[in-house]
Amino acid sequence: MDAQLKKGLLEACVLAALTQEESYGYKLIADISPYIEISESTLYPILKRLESTGSVTTRTRAHNGRLRKYFMITDFGRNKLREFITDLDELGRVYNFIYRAGR
Amino acid sequence: MTKYEWESDLKQRIRRLPESEINRVLDYYGELFDDKIERGATEREVIAEFGNPRDAAEKILYEYYADADRYEESPRRERRAEPRRDVREPKREERGKGYEPRYEERQKTRVEETTGVRGWMILPAIILGAVAVTLTAALWGVLIAVCAGGAACALGGTVGFVPSGFMIFDNLAIALVQFAACFAVLAVGVVLLKLTPKFGRVCVGATRGMFRGISNMLTKKKKVTYYEG
């Protein structure tokens, strides 16, 4: 898949995975992988970007004697996800246009 | 490749990043590693899943320098960690619950610790030290000359006004010439005296630099960051 397109999709995927509850690195990859290929090295910059733009916040919790970083979606993040869903509608129309032309 | 080798390779590739960022990366992969091991994977399997440290480093560096024109990075000098200015901090109304400021804004103390002495450097340090001391002494000598010369001229020029004054009654033409000469000497004195503090700063800087240079040659130092919280 095109890299730029994938990057945007992955950000939205992470946000989507966080809407119901907080999550952490391993779990995010496990939850998203069935839908789109996501590797550890790909996830890192996405999480970093989401955090620095305020879409997610983090906190560290102890788990089995070690530290784990948990990610939570913010209201700002929820807005971003809503915006992306609006984009998806447009994307759907473009998709149909291309799909029909390509067959 | 072992976990240690993988991490060391990655660390080497991102060494130019600020220490806070490097730690963040290592924490991230360390956590993922532990989670996978906990679920039954072997070290080898996990490292294989992580892939090539080069690719991981590429992604990290690419993201970090996304606004490359804002970062004038010199490869030789270590850059101070700064919060990213290209990224907008969400306004108060936009911040969700549990908002925390970015990593870089946490309280931290930076300390430079001396970890050892380079014994083999002693001889070159002595030789270089001798040269540096000679040059620095010369600089100080020039400074003293400038200062003394300036003072002498200023004083001489000022004092010279007095007999020139009396000369007016005797020979106006000569008096005027003498006045002019005194002015000139005074002016030279003032200029030299004004230069003295500036030159003094150069001397101090050179001396300090010399001491620091010799010190750096002889000792091994390490920068350590301590975080609060």
Side-chain angles (χ1 to χ4, degrees), chain A residues 24-26 40-45 48-49 51-52 54 57-58 63-64 66 68-69 74-76, chain B residues 21 24-25 28-29 31-32 34-36 38-39 49 59 63-64 87-88 90 94 98-100 103:
Chain A
Y24 52 98
Y26 179 91
E40 289 81 6
S41 54
T42 317
L43 180 63
Y44 177 81
K48 184 154 184 263
R49 180 133 209 289
E51 187 180 359
S52 60
T57 57
T58 68
H63 166 87
N64 284 4
R66 57 185 171 94
R68 213 190 233 164
K69 196 171 180 185
T74 63
D75 288 339
F76 184 78
Chain B
E21 182 62 28
R24 188 187 205 158
V25 168
Y28 171 81
Y29 280 103
E31 182 193 308
L32 276 168
D34 290 336
D35 272 314
K36 291 186 188 245
E38 197 176 281
R39 284 160 177 83
E49 281 172 39
K59 293 195 172 93
E63 165 66 23
Y64 191 86
V87 158
R88 191 175 62 89
E94 290 173 337
Y99 171 79
E100 275 172 25
Y103 255 65

Side-chain angles (χ1 to χ4, degrees), chain A residues 29-47:
Chain A
I29 293 179
D31 291 342
I32 295 173
S33 289
Y35 304 98
I36 187 170
E37 193 211 330
I38 180 167
S39 67
E40 289 81 6
S41 54
T42 317
L43 180 63
Y44 177 81
I46 291 177
L47 287 174

Side-chain angles (χ1 to χ4, degrees), chain B residues 7 50 146 183:
Chain B
E7 274 190 349
F50 279 0
V146 167
F183 251 123

